Amino acid sequence: MDSRYVVSPVAIIAGATAAVFYGLYALTQIGSHIASFIFITAFLLLCAFLLFLAAVPIAAQLTHRKFQSQHCRQKRVQSIVRFALCAIAGAAIGSYAARTLQREQRPPQTLASLSTVRTLIAELTGEPVPAGSDYYRIPVKLIACSTGRNEQFSASGVMQLFVPAALVRGTYSGGITRIGRAEQSESVAPLLSGTAVFAEALRNPQECRFYVRGMRLAVQGKFGKTGTVFYARPVQPVFLGWNSPLSRLRAFFRFAFMRMLYGWGEAGGLLLALLAADKAFLPAECIAAFRNAGLAHILALSGMHLSLIGTAALQGGRIFRHKSRAAWFSLAAVFLFVWFAGSAPSLNRALGMVCIAAAGRALGLKPPPLSVLCAMLTVHIAIAGAEAITLGFMLSYGACAGIIIFGEACARFMAGKIPPSFAGSISASVGAQLFTAPIVIFAIGNIAAAGVIASCVVSPLVSVFLIGGLICIPLALIFPFTSPLLGYGLNAAYRIIFALADFFARLPVIAPESGMQRVIFSAAAFAVGVCCAILAYFQRKRTIANLPRLT
């Protein structure tokens, strides 16, 4: 059997890790009387994938059963033992990740009664994300808290800070808000007496000018019923400093970057969404058009953006006239982009896969893409279980797996029938859509019927727009007088992209109504991908068997 289709140990470990992790998480949610269809679907999908991984070598051995000898039977026993050991290792990793996530989701640890807490001192560990129309959600790490009776307590743990939307939007370029000025709470002072930076901040209180990862704030408000969410009052928080000079530098660059792109209007909003995962300046109708056309993944930072940044840096790195130096320059540009854009599940996946592949090449290995993806999946779940329960995480890994497994099979069927440039784009879109269809249907409720075609048409244009934006940004910085002209060109490209996305958004969508219809449609879509992969496997076996043998 071709070694390319032998199930690698890392794939077995990754499948077992994901299946056990999502299974335990789903059981925890059901035990809390919370229906979690998304995670149950993911668990069943991963179980089916594990069975598929186990069936491939078994089917291949059955086809060659008449040629088996005693040595072959011993080899089969060794394969079964290897599969069992890898599955046990994956189950252990998944159990550890689920246990760690359960501890992270506990309410904050403090001696104060959460219902009496009115002021919170916390460090922002992420960027603001819209949570409905009234609030923005920000992950934070607790430092201290105080009650309404001026009682001060230390606190620890991670939680979500919900900030009024008007307060966050008012800090953006061009933003206007009626939120009041910062109110200095007397109960904050005793909490910060031991820190020179905080003491200085208390002597000269500053309003929060913007919200970005790494800053520390004193926020007034109250906890929600679960104790894992803190709702801020419509009052500007007090800025207390940064956790490191690098965080301050990053915030300065992001704020200056937003100010420059604000001058380019809607095109600047799209460029900001593509480079910094911030849709603050993007019109609501554009976001809705991309979502309804099945193109939401374009606005989310992903491997596509990382590959474009890396390729552009690689081309620019040729000035070093040395291939290895250009590669290192490209890798440094990728790390710099991730640092600037912020942490996101899709970006972390892409960056991790780049690092694993680079480490393999440095060791003289050439790991296949599926093994690299499985290794990153295992590490990602073990390290950041909180990201693994997000929809972006599931869609990112599902789409990448679909491109590698189902997309390659579709490309084999299209070989010789469609030009390679079109076949690659179509097969990748089809593979990603088939693999992620169950997750999309259960999480969103519908799927764009023309999503594959829309992705093949709009994605190349967005790539060209992104590359053009990367060229225009340094030109506008070096020659400021060219900024209006560059903005005009980018806005012309934006209008073309928006018109196409809006056209595909108006086409019908597939929306199963009942739960049984969702299950049937999800299973059918995934089964089509599995059948394509199996047929491609046997087609390749026949092609190899028909090749002339050397004598």
Side-chain angles (χ1 to χ4, degrees), residues 112-113 116-119 145-153 185 187:
S113 175
T116 63
V117 172
R118 292 297 177 265
T119 303
C145 64
S146 63
T147 65
R149 295 182 295 178
N150 294 336
E151 297 173 336
Q152 298 84 36
F153 299 88
S185 175
S187 61

Side-chain angles (χ1 to χ4, degrees), residues 204-517:
N204 301 294
Q206 303 178 27
E207 293 181 7
C208 179
R209 293 169 50 192
F210 48 86
Y211 295 82
V212 68
R213 187 185 69 200
M215 67 190 315
R216 292 169 176 172
L217 302 175
V219 187
Q220 299 184 42
K222 62 179 181 179
F223 276 97
K225 294 181 179 180
T226 61
T228 58
V229 176
F230 189 82
Y231 292 93
R233 287 180 54 199
V235 175
Q236 291 284 7
V238 177
F239 172 70
L240 299 177
W242 303 96
N243 65 349
S244 69
L246 283 178
S247 297
R248 181 178 181 180
L249 180 65
R250 175 179 177 270
F252 171 78
F253 280 124
R254 283 181 66 96
F255 190 68
F257 185 66
M258 292 177 67
R259 288 182 61 185
M260 183 183 68
L261 293 184
Y262 177 75
W264 286 348
E266 295 175 341
L270 179 58
L271 201 56
L272 181 65
L274 295 175
L275 292 176
D278 195 334
K279 306 180 183 67
F281 302 153
L282 202 58
E285 56 269 18
C286 180
I287 299 175
F290 272 79
R291 182 180 63 250
N292 296 332
L295 301 171
H297 62 280
I298 293 180
L299 298 181
L301 292 178
S302 62
M304 179 190 76
H305 305 80
L306 209 63
S307 62
L308 287 175
I309 297 293
T311 302
L314 185 63
Q315 297 297 325
R318 291 185 175 181
I319 60 175
F320 298 111
R321 299 181 182 275
H322 197 279
K323 187 176 180 181
S324 62
R325 291 178 182 175
W328 281 109
F329 179 77
S330 175
L331 188 60
V334 167
F335 273 96
L336 184 63
F337 171 70
V338 174
W339 172 75
F340 174 79
S343 177
S346 54
L347 268 187
N348 293 337
R349 174 197 59 78
L351 181 61
M353 291 181 66
V354 169
C355 294
I356 293 174
R361 293 191 185 95
L363 296 174
L365 305 174
K366 292 183 179 180
L370 182 60
S371 296
V372 175
L373 177 66
C374 292
M376 186 58 208
L377 175 63
T378 304
V379 173
H380 204 160
I381 291 178
I383 295 177
E387 291 187 355
I389 61 175
T390 62
L391 184 60
F393 179 95
M394 300 178 194
L395 292 179
S396 177
Y397 278 93
C400 192
I403 292 172
I404 296 173
I405 301 173
F406 297 163
E408 183 179 351
C410 295
R412 188 173 298 280
F413 291 130
M414 298 178 186
K417 304 179 181 67
I418 301 177
S421 57
F422 291 101
S425 178
I426 294 174
S427 62
S429 298
V430 171
Q433 292 277 356
L434 291 177
F435 203 98
T436 59
I439 300 175
V440 172
I441 290 174
F442 276 89
I444 302 177
N446 59 65
I447 187 170
V452 174
I453 301 175
S455 181
C456 295
V457 174
V458 179
S459 291
L461 296 179
V462 173
S463 300
V464 173
F465 177 85
L466 180 58
I467 294 174
L470 292 174
I471 297 173
C472 291
I473 289 173
L475 288 177
L477 293 175
I478 299 173
F479 307 105
F481 60 89
T482 64
S483 182
L485 182 61
L486 295 174
Y488 179 82
L490 289 175
N491 275 284
Y494 165 82
R495 282 190 285 270
I496 296 174
I497 293 173
F498 173 70
L500 291 172
D502 186 61
F503 169 76
F504 287 110
R506 297 178 185 276
L507 298 179
V509 297
I510 300 174
E513 296 181 357
S514 64
M516 183 57 64
Q517 289 179 352

